[in-house]
Amino acid sequence: MPFRLLVPLGLLCALLPLHHGAPGPDGTAPDPAHYRERVKAMFYHAYDSYLENAFPYDELRPLTCDGHDTWGSFSLTLIDALDTLLILGNVSEFQRVVEVLQDNVDFDIDVNASVFETNIRVVGGLLSAHLLSKKAGVEVEAGWPCSGPLLRMAEEAARKLLPAFQTPTGMPYGTVNLLHGVNPGETPVTCTAGIGTFIVEFATLSSLTGDPVFEDVARVALMRLWESRSDIGLVGNHIDVLTGKWVAQDSGIGAGVDSYFEYLVKGAILLQDKKLMAMFLEYNKAIRNYTRFDDWYLWVQMYKGTVSMPVFQSLEAYWPGLQSLIGDIDNAMRTFLNYYTVWKQFGGLPEFYNIPQGYTVEKREGYPLRPELIESAMYLYRATGDPTLLELGRDAVESIEKISKVECGFATIKDLRDHKLDNRMESFFLAETVKYLYLLFDPANFIHNNGSTFDAVITPYGECILGAGGYIFNTEAHPIDPAALHCCRRLKEEQWEVEDLMREFYSLKRNRSRFQKKTISSGPWQPPTGPGTFSSPKNQDQAREKKPAKQKIPLLSCPSQPFTSKLALLGQVFLDSS
């Protein structure tokens, strides 16, 4: 179908006026050290304002200098900001907040909460903080990272969400009451992202706790969406979780769909799961075939591929960063530069932007300080070192400070045309926007570790390596250490000593034929089905009953990954071992 986008000349307007640290006439890039300090000051202006005026409410209202609950009465901004504190180097405040959260946050409350938002902000934030606790100097308990107060809080919050997944399709409701479960009159219509954005947090939780239920429900939801795609390979943006029928059939990469695609890629990297990556690559082909025009991505009808909305949404600006994770750098940069021209036109990204007209969409002119374009700049700068990406970071700092800074924090921009403000500062401003800005200007941050340093940790299940890098950011920018997923494997009903494991392993190698006559299992080793339990075929159970009580089954798998399966951050996710 012939379709050309008309980009008006006004879109190519000049950059904001030059500031200290901005590129000069000689084309030098912004000074990272200068902007690191500026970003840090932004964080503390917003964070201190929240503590002084809004805690223990979820979010700050910066124009009236008070607080309100938005997503469930969790002191949400404090949870969302916790790992940002460590990234900025503030270990003492991190330690204090950990104690505050343990004393003040209660999930056993009569509140209707968003399943999606509670997962990405609360479960994700607590898991990330739990895994970073030792680095932050918190005195961790014996058995960490397989146990700990923040992990228990994350598990408690996630269990409150599980009733939402009890549907005929396995796709979750969008809202659940934390005390009573799903309300009888709850709508069965959920957005695609609200169904497919759990695998990062839930797989991590299953790995750390040993309870597979979390990863299992997340995988079922992913597969049901995959099975529901159209004949041309696209998904809509809202579906009935009881019937599996699409309610909204507009297909794109933005609102209502975005983090589903994001979690297929990040889940593939985190879990080294080729099937998830293959699913995304199939989607990527369909997205290119039907929704991409001149390096913009439009909305199309999911069954026909015809254009339904020629608009760009600010939420779509995550896409170049996601493309960088699969190594598609050239396409990522071209799309990023399109989005950057919109930023330069307004000093921010409007929620909706009409591409042919080159202007905002009515009633969608606001910018709630979203992070997505900055997120993509951080990923692409790590991949390319292109100074243009630092210029976006500079523009973001200057714009946000000039337009949205008020006495009590930073306010949502209600209208980018006249810079009117709204009385809200969403928690993601501290969780994502400030964090990605800081990381863009801080190449030496521990988050960017290339594996040259690491920590060896002894757990009840043996030694594991943490802090070597390769962090996977959930969609709320909470970093998850992928190595942690290998620290807490429940191998059998009782915990074995490291010496026993090694002795059985070498015994197996020395006398394989004799070992095979004595082994109780003729099939593959089965993973555990819950904390402290072991699932095995019936013949294995019968054979085990005939063995002495203390006899142990030899280790048949190694918890450490072979080198050939380790991920690379800049696109080579799976290495060929042949």
Side-chain angles (χ1 to χ4, degrees):
M1 177 183 64
F3 186 94
R4 297 292 296 176
L5 301 179
L6 304 178
V7 182
L9 293 176
L11 193 59
L12 304 178
C13 65
L15 290 171
L16 296 172
L18 294 176
H19 300 266
H20 174 66
D26 60 352
T28 56
D31 176 20
H34 168 77
Y35 279 99
R36 273 201 305 276
E37 294 307 309
R38 293 273 296 277
V39 173
K40 188 178 290 188
M42 288 172 60
F43 173 85
Y44 285 113
H45 178 64
Y47 180 77
D48 292 344
S49 295
Y50 169 77
L51 291 181
E52 293 169 9
N53 300 288
F55 178 79
Y57 291 102
D58 277 343
E59 292 180 352
L60 170 69
R61 297 201 301 178
L63 300 184
T64 52
C65 296
D66 57 10
H68 65 151
D69 285 330
T70 53
W71 296 111
S73 191
F74 305 127
S75 298
L76 192 59
T77 295
L78 205 58
I79 295 175
D80 250 354
L82 185 49
D83 50 41
T84 309
L85 284 167
L86 182 59
I87 287 172
L88 268 58
N90 194 337
V91 295
S92 60
E93 181 65 2
F94 183 102
Q95 295 168 11
R96 187 190 74 83
V97 172
V98 167
E99 294 183 2
V100 169
L101 292 177
Q102 293 179 60
D103 294 338
N104 290 277
V105 176
D106 181 14
F107 300 116
D108 199 23
I109 51 178
D110 187 7
V111 167
N112 293 325
S114 164
V115 180
F116 170 82
E117 298 289 355
T118 303
N119 175 57
I120 66 170
R121 303 192 196 211
V122 177
V123 178
L126 291 171
L127 283 174
S128 179
H130 164 73
L131 292 174
L132 294 172
S133 291
K134 191 170 184 179
K135 188 172 190 64
V138 175
E139 186 176 346
V140 298
E141 67 186 39
W144 181 91
C146 311
S147 64
L150 294 180
L151 176 60
R152 288 189 286 272
M153 290 177 67
E155 182 180 5
E156 180 185 0
R159 288 199 185 281
K160 293 290 187 178
L161 306 181
L162 289 179
F165 291 82
Q166 296 175 5
T167 65
T169 63
M171 295 186 285
Y173 284 95
T175 303
V176 67
N177 185 283
L178 299 182
L179 195 61
H180 305 296
V182 178
N183 290 325
E186 181 62 41
T187 175
V189 177
T190 305
C191 70
T192 303
I195 293 167
T197 310
F198 294 91
I199 191 66
V200 169
E201 299 85 1
F202 275 28
T204 300
L205 197 54
S206 284
S207 293
L208 295 178
T209 65
D211 189 341
V213 65
F214 303 105
E215 183 174 346
D216 287 349
V217 298
R219 284 188 178 276
V220 168
L222 284 177
M223 290 307 302
R224 293 299 175 267
L225 283 175
W226 172 251
E227 293 164 358
S228 301
R229 68 195 188 284
S230 70
D231 289 341
I232 61 174
L234 298 174
V235 290
N237 62 81
H238 281 78
I239 195 169
D240 188 314
V241 300
L242 299 181
T243 65
K245 293 183 178 179
W246 289 102
V247 176
Q249 298 179 2
D250 288 315
S251 184
I253 61 172
V257 185
D258 47 4
S259 50
Y260 168 48
F261 295 137
E262 179 186 354
Y263 271 39
L264 288 176
V265 173
K266 291 182 176 179
I269 298 173
L270 182 70
L271 304 173
Q272 292 292 287
D273 190 316
K274 294 184 179 181
K275 187 172 184 180
L276 294 181
M277 183 58 72
M279 289 162 62
F280 174 78
L281 294 176
E282 282 298 309
Y283 278 130
N284 197 35
K285 290 178 185 177
I287 289 166
R288 288 187 180 186
N289 287 339
Y290 295 101
T291 76
R292 187 177 69 167
F293 298 91
D294 289 351
D295 299 309
W296 296 90
Y297 292 84
L298 313 183
W299 288 83
V300 303
Q301 210 282 340
M302 65 176 288
Y303 292 104
K304 300 177 182 178
T306 53
V307 175
S308 58
M309 293 188 293
V311 300
F312 157 63
Q313 298 177 340
S314 62
L315 284 169
E316 296 170 11
Y318 79 99
W319 188 256
L322 192 65
Q323 288 177 303
S324 77
L325 285 177
I326 63 169
D328 193 4
I329 303 298
D330 289 342
N331 284 320
M333 281 298 297
R334 286 196 293 268
T335 296
F336 175 87
L337 292 173
N338 278 348
Y339 298 168
Y340 186 18
T341 58
V342 180
W343 181 288
K344 289 189 286 186
Q345 184 179 3
F346 296 101
L349 290 185
E351 292 288 73
F352 281 32
Y353 180 84
N354 188 302
I355 300 169
Q357 295 179 6
Y359 209 63
T360 59
V361 175
E362 186 178 1
K363 297 182 180 180
R364 293 292 187 273
E365 304 93 347
Y367 170 55
L369 309 181
R370 291 196 187 279
E372 282 77 14
L373 189 63
I374 302 163
E375 172 187 0
S376 285
M378 186 209 73
Y379 278 113
L380 284 169
Y381 187 68
R382 297 297 300 171
T384 68
D386 189 326
T388 303
L389 300 154
L390 294 182
E391 293 175 19
L392 177 276
R394 171 208 63 197
D395 289 354
V397 172
E398 303 294 352
S399 295
I400 292 170
E401 285 197 335
K402 181 178 180 180
I403 299 173
S404 77
K405 186 177 181 180
V406 295
E407 182 180 353
C408 294
F410 292 87
T412 287
I413 301 168
K414 187 175 183 178
D415 194 328
L416 279 166
R417 299 170 301 174
D418 56 16
H419 298 168
K420 288 182 180 178
L421 300 179
D422 204 357
N423 194 19
R424 188 172 185 187
M425 187 182 81
E426 293 221 38
S427 69
F428 60 63
F429 178 67
L430 295 181
E432 300 185 77
T433 308
V434 172
K435 182 184 295 165
Y436 284 132
L437 271 173
Y438 191 80
L439 290 173
L440 174 63
F441 291 115
D442 189 20
N445 197 278
F446 76 88
I447 287 291
H448 299 315
N449 186 8
N450 61 6
S452 57
T453 62
F454 57 86
D455 296 316
V457 178
I458 302 298
T459 77
Y461 313 102
E463 183 181 65
C464 69
I465 301 299
L466 292 176
Y471 292 91
I472 303 299
F473 288 98
N474 86 334
T475 197
E476 190 77 1
H478 295 304
I480 301 295
D481 189 340
L485 275 66
H486 303 277
C487 288
C488 308
R489 302 295 189 190
R490 266 67 172 174
L491 297 176
K492 287 289 171 278
E493 292 165 332
E494 51 188 328
Q495 300 173 359
W496 294 351
E497 297 293 333
V498 174
E499 295 85 351
D500 289 338
L501 295 176
M502 297 304 295
R503 183 162 50 249
E504 295 285 357
F505 176 73
Y506 284 113
S507 174
L508 172 64
K509 291 183 68 176
R510 283 196 303 267
N511 198 343
R512 183 177 299 272
S513 61
R514 182 167 58 87
F515 163 75
Q516 288 175 340
K517 294 179 181 178
K518 295 175 66 178
T519 187
I520 63 173
S521 174
S522 59
W525 178 78
Q526 299 292 318
T529 57
T533 64
F534 175 65
S535 174
S536 60
K538 184 177 180 180
N539 66 318
Q540 293 186 13
D541 292 336
Q542 293 172 344
R544 184 168 60 239
E545 292 174 358
K546 300 177 183 180
K547 296 290 182 180
K550 292 185 179 181
Q551 182 155 348
K552 299 181 178 68
I553 304 170
L555 180 65
L556 299 182
S557 64
C558 180
S560 64
Q561 294 176 288
F563 175 81
T564 53
S565 72
K566 293 186 185 298
L567 63 95
L569 288 181
L570 304 182
Q572 291 178 304
V573 179
F574 298 106
L575 302 180
D576 188 357
S577 60
S578 60

